[in-house]
């Protein structure tokens, strides 16, 4: 308990008060009169430029000891640059005049009542409008309403970026003062006062925990090192003083410990979660391959990037791959509340259409180190196509000897890239929800998800075409395991072109319980992708020429939104990849289970189905494009094309490279007589599954690439596509 002297001293301090700072407009006037930049003030006071901007905008006021120094600076300038006669007095300039906005004026408030008009957690942060307790940020009306707008628990949005001076930058420009100087105090304050978090994405799901992002200065303030010594495990030592502080305060860490993304929690009380997510920027929480240079931005801009992503996809919980997987679970929770008839109480039960429990894969679907596969094959055994499912993305190059004279007369190599190909493949894709069931000599059913052992080597193609049944584009030489979309496409080719072949599976691992599990995930992320592209000036109503022009400059339109776009695309690929996460620990032993196998979402069969669907979608459009450009009739009983057909020379995942007379895809892709894209062929546009221009190089460059055994699709942009995350 405080002593009487301490209480009276505190009261006297309140009575004396602090000398009032000039109003925000006067602060700006004095600095500009002195010819000093905000960055210079920030450097002198050892704070960030954004913090000085907030002082001059009236969003925040400095706190001791910077307050006294800032006060002295302003007083000195005031003596040198007095206010011109006739200027408004301080009282009239104390509050900045509100900017115009389109929504109706809020109801009249008393001076003591803050006006809160910002939809926080899942509103568009760059478009939100907030008036917090001590700060004002005015921007335009968000595009669409959100449940968070009426949820007072998350009034300040899903996340905040904490800087070294204690300023917590939230979405919509809101800046809160965080008094915490230790990590336990930060967690307590976040849960009790910060009003951060986001509402659940599904009625049976869970609200998103608040996310606090720590800048380097904030990490140092809280006693964290700027670099992790454990570069392999990427976690803080268990005997570090900060970890001990958390332990003494009865806080717990998850099994992955205190790393770049740390979850600090206590067991839920009364059904209320007590958990805070931390992202430590100096430890590499934001991978540059996904987020670009976001971690180098000012805290307010970091909050804008992450807040926009949270509003459109999900509050980040780790890497974009982790967030992609978390979005699947948030949109399709494994359980729901059901009524127990015997006890007449509500209990947890499985959610129809969701992945509810972890299941073992079929042996052919399991990676080598999985217990199921390790029990059948010794370490180092190279499994054959008849022993393992190998559904991967394309990496194929055409034999340069197969280039035609017409192709060699063309001047350019033009690359086109499918927008979010894996996301498009997930649309309406039926996958298995239950354990695999083994069957012998089954009749193939394209509506049954699973893995099928079938011989597709009898289906022959024009030698210039890639084979759709293998990732390397070469013809299979016997029975092999395929996911349902691949076998269904084989049947489609046989039926469409009356090919002399049959689909006769020898055996299969099928799923009885099925559903379009990824549909909500597809819808949410595709909307996020299209909304972000629209904000960057690329919309679905553009003509093909306008689309190509817009794509040339869209990333420069708003670098922050460009970072959001990059993260969304990484979320798709990473989320699909996480469905077959391999062991990461150096202590893992071959044949032993690893933590990821405990998740219901560890499903290599679903990953295989998505990649299979993406690959055959690519091949289907290659065939349609070739048929639309050849002079002769469609092939019957054999898939041979004439010399005029447009056929790619290289493929890399979702990128195809063609030889063309002109450098633009406008002169490459086929159109009908009325100017519309040829049915079923590649089509320029912004939506998932449509294509964009990937890059153009000269013919000799492409031919040299082929001669040297390199893939032109990997380098058509002038860089390594894999390094760019494409």
């Amino acid at each position: 308990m405080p002593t009487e002297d301490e209480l009276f001293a505190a009261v006297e301090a309140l009575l004396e008060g602090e000398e009032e700072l000039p109003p925000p407009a006067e602060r700006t006037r004095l600095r500009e009169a002195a010819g000093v930049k905000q960055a210079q003030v920030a450097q002198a006071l050892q704070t960030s430029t954004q913090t000085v901007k907030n002082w001059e905008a009236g969003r925040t006021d400095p706190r001791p000891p910077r307050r006294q120094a800032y006060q002295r600076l302003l007083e000195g300038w005031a003596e040198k640059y007095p206010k011109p006669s006739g200027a408004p007095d301080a009282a009239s300039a104390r509050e900045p005049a509100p900017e115009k906005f389109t929504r109706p004026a809020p109801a009249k408030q008393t001076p003591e009542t803050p006006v809160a008009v910002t939809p926080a957690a899942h509103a568009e942060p760059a478009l939100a409008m907030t008036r917090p307790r001590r700060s004002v940020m005015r921007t335009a009306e968000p595009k669409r309403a959100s449940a968070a707008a009426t949820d007072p628990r998350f009034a300040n949005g899903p996340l905040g970026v904490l800087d070294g001076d204690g300023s917590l930058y939230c979405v919509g420009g809101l800046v809160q003062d965080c008094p915490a100087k230790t990590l336990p105090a930060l967690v307590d304050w976040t849960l009790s006062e910060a009003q951060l978090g986001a509402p659940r994405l599904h009625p049976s799901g869970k609200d998103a925990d608040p996310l606090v992002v720590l800048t380097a200065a904030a990490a140092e303030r809280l006693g964290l090192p700027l670099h992790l010594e454990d570069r392999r495990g990427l976690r803080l030592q268990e005997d570090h003083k900060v970890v001990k502080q958390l332990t003494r305060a009865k806080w717990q860490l998850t099994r992955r410990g205190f790393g770049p993304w740390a979850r600090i929690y206590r067991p839920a009380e009364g059904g209320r979660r007590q958990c805070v997510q931390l992202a430590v920027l100096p430890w590499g929480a934001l991978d540059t391959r996904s987020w670009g240079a976001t971690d180098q931005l000012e805290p307010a801009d970091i909050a804008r990037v992450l807040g926009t992503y949270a509003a459109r996809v999900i509050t980040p919980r780790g890497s974009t791959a982790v967030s992609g997987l978390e979005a699947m679970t948030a949109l399709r929770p494994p359980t729901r509340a059901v009524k127990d008839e015997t006890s007449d109480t509500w209990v947890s039960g499985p959610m129809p259409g969701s992945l509810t429990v972890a299941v073992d894969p079929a042996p052919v679907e399991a990676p080598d180190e999985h217990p199921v596969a390790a029990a059948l094959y010794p370490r180092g055994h190279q499994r054959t196509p008849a022993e393992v499912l190998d559904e991967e993305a394309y990496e194929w190059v055409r034999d340069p000897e197969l280039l035609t004279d017409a192709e060699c007369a063309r001047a350019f190599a033009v690359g086109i890239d499918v927008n979010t190909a894996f996301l498009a493949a997930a649309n309406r894709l039926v996958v298995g929800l239950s354990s695999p069931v083994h069957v012998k000599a089954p009749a193939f059913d394209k509506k049954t998800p699973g893995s099928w052992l079938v011989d597709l080597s009898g289906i022959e193609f024009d030698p210039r075409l890639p084979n759709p049944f293998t990732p390397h584009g070469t013809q299979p030489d016997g029975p092999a395991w395929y996911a349902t979309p691949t076998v269904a496409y084989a049947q489609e080719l046989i039926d469409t072109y009356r090919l002399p072949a049959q689909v006769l599976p020898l055996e299969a691992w099928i799923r009885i319980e099925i559903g379009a599990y990824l549909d909500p995930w597809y819808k949410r992320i595709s909307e996020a992708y299209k909304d972000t592209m629209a904000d960057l000036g690329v919309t679905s109503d553009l003509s093909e020429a306008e689309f190509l022009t817009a794509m040339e400059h869209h990333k420069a339109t708003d670098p922050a939104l460009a970072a959001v776009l990059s993260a969304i695309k990484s979320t798709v690929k990473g989320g699909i990849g996480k469905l077959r996460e391999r062991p990461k620990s150096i202590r893992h032993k071959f044949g032993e289970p690893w933590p990821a196998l405990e998740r219901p979402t560890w499903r290599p069969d679903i990953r295989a189905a998505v990649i299979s669907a993406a690959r055959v979608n690519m091949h289907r459009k290659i065939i349609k494009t070739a048929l639309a450009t050849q002079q002769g009739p469609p092939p019957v009983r054999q898939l041979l094309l004439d010399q005029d057909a447009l056929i790619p020379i290289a493929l890399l995942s979702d990128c195809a490279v063609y030889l063309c007379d002109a450098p633009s895809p406008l002169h490459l892709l086929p159109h009908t007589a009325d100017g519309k894209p040829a049915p079923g062929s590649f089509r320029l546009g912004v939506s998932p599954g449509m294509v964009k221009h990937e890059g153009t190089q000269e013919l000799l460059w492409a031919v040299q690439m082929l001669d040297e055994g390199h893939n032109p699709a990997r380098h058509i942009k002038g860089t390594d596509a894999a390094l760019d995350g494409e």
Side-chain angles (χ1 to χ4, degrees), residues 136-267:
V136 179
M137 171 57 65
R138 305 171 182 84
T139 50
E141 178 78 9
K143 288 184 178 179
R144 54 181 182 266
S146 166
T150 57
D151 196 330
R153 297 174 301 159
F154 313 127
N156 295 331
L159 56 89
V161 181
L162 184 64
D163 206 1
D165 63 354
S167 297
L168 186 75
Y169 297 82
C170 305
V171 298
L174 168 66
V175 184
Q176 298 191 71
D177 288 330
C178 174
K181 295 183 179 179
T182 67
L183 211 52
L186 173 62
V187 175
D188 284 326
W189 178 84
T190 301
L191 293 174
S192 61
E193 297 186 41
Q195 293 182 288
L196 297 178
R200 62 198 67 186
L201 299 181
H202 187 282
S204 295
K206 298 176 182 177
D207 296 329
D209 298 319
L211 168 63
V212 178
V213 182
L214 304 181
T215 65
E220 199 168 17
R221 169 189 171 108
L222 296 170
L224 294 171
L226 294 183
H227 302 283
L228 283 175
E229 293 182 7
D230 182 3
R231 299 309 302 165
R232 181 178 290 274
L234 285 178
R235 63 177 61 193
L236 202 60
Q237 302 94 324
E238 294 183 2
D239 60 352
H240 192 277
K241 63 178 182 179
V242 170
V243 178
K244 290 182 178 179
Q245 287 174 355
L246 292 169
T247 303
R248 285 195 298 268
K250 308 300 184 187
W251 290 106
Q252 301 178 37
L253 294 166
T254 58
R255 183 161 49 185
R256 64 183 177 184
F258 201 128
W261 290 90
R263 295 185 64 218
I264 302 172
Y265 71 98
R266 285 176 182 154

Side-chain angles (χ1 to χ4, degrees), residues 22-27 29 82-97:
E26 179 66 3
R27 303 172 198 175
R29 185 194 73 80
K83 187 179 300 182
S85 59
D89 58 20
S92 62
R94 192 175 308 278
E95 285 295 330

Side-chain angles (χ1 to χ4, degrees), residues 154-481:
F154 313 127
N156 295 331
L159 56 89
V161 181
L162 184 64
D163 206 1
D165 63 354
S167 297
L168 186 75
Y169 297 82
C170 305
V171 298
L174 168 66
V175 184
Q176 298 191 71
D177 288 330
C178 174
K181 295 183 179 179
T182 67
L183 211 52
L186 173 62
V187 175
D188 284 326
W189 178 84
T190 301
L191 293 174
S192 61
E193 297 186 41
Q195 293 182 288
L196 297 178
R200 62 198 67 186
L201 299 181
H202 187 282
S204 295
K206 298 176 182 177
D207 296 329
D209 298 319
L211 168 63
V212 178
V213 182
L214 304 181
T215 65
E220 199 168 17
R221 169 189 171 108
L222 296 170
L224 294 171
L226 294 183
H227 302 283
L228 283 175
E229 293 182 7
D230 182 3
R231 299 309 302 165
R232 181 178 290 274
L234 285 178
R235 63 177 61 193
L236 202 60
Q237 302 94 324
E238 294 183 2
D239 60 352
H240 192 277
K241 63 178 182 179
V242 170
V243 178
K244 290 182 178 179
Q245 287 174 355
L246 292 169
T247 303
R248 285 195 298 268
K250 308 300 184 187
W251 290 106
Q252 301 178 37
L253 294 166
T254 58
R255 183 161 49 185
R256 64 183 177 184
F258 201 128
W261 290 90
R263 295 185 64 218
I264 302 172
Y265 71 98
R266 285 176 182 154
E269 291 183 358
R272 182 179 179 183
R273 289 171 61 84
Q274 301 181 87
C275 181
V276 173
Q277 176 86 44
L278 295 182
V280 188
L281 295 184
W283 296 356
L286 299 181
D287 191 327
T288 55
R289 292 170 297 180
S290 301
W291 295 99
T294 297
D295 60 346
Q296 302 300 315
L297 300 175
E298 294 288 347
D301 294 323
I302 297 174
R304 181 190 174 211
V305 171
L306 297 181
T308 303
Y309 180 89
R312 296 181 176 180
V313 183
I314 193 172
T315 302
R317 292 272 306 269
S319 66
T320 49
V322 170
S323 298
L325 199 68
E326 290 289 340
M328 293 181 196
T329 303
L331 293 161
R332 289 272 201 188
T335 60
R336 62 172 179 168
V338 295
K339 195 68 170 291
D340 185 349
E341 299 298 337
T342 58
S343 61
D344 198 32
T345 59
W346 291 95
V347 297
S348 179
M351 171 70 71
S354 291
L355 301 176
T356 58
V357 296
V359 297
D360 280 337
V364 299
E365 299 163 350
D368 293 346
E369 63 272 23
H370 192 282
V372 169
L376 298 176
Y377 307 104
R379 185 170 190 171
H381 172 75
Q382 186 67 37
R383 289 196 279 175
T384 67
E387 295 172 334
V388 64
L389 179 70
D390 185 27
E391 294 285 12
E392 299 294 340
Y394 265 130
E395 179 155 14
W396 167 83
V397 294
R398 197 201 303 179
D399 184 344
E401 296 294 330
L402 296 177
L403 292 176
T404 66
D405 292 341
E407 288 175 325
C408 291
R410 294 166 187 163
F412 299 98
V414 179
I416 55 174
D417 182 79
V418 180
N419 301 325
T420 57
F422 293 154
L423 183 64
N427 186 23
R428 298 191 298 273
L429 180 67
V430 176
V431 299
L433 304 177
S434 54
S435 299
V437 176
H438 187 243
V439 290
K440 286 282 191 179
F444 175 70
D445 180 4
K446 66 179 181 180
K447 296 181 180 180
T448 301
S451 301
W452 309 77
L453 180 62
V454 58
D455 189 352
L456 300 179
S457 61
I459 303 177
E460 297 186 1
F461 295 84
D462 189 303
R464 294 171 293 164
L465 284 170
N467 190 287
F469 309 133
T470 61
H472 39 75
T474 58
Q475 187 168 345
D477 57 5
W481 287 97

Side-chain angles (χ1 to χ4, degrees), residues 442 453-455 502-506:
L453 180 62
V454 58
D455 189 352
Q502 288 182 294
V503 173
L504 298 172
L506 303 175

Side-chain angles (χ1 to χ4, degrees), residues 494-514:
I494 292 170
D495 295 343
T496 302
Y497 303 106
R498 302 197 293 276
L499 302 180
Q502 288 182 294
V503 173
L504 298 172
L506 303 175
E507 56 180 299
W509 290 91
I510 62 174
R511 266 78 181 176
I512 305 302
E513 185 182 347
I514 64 176

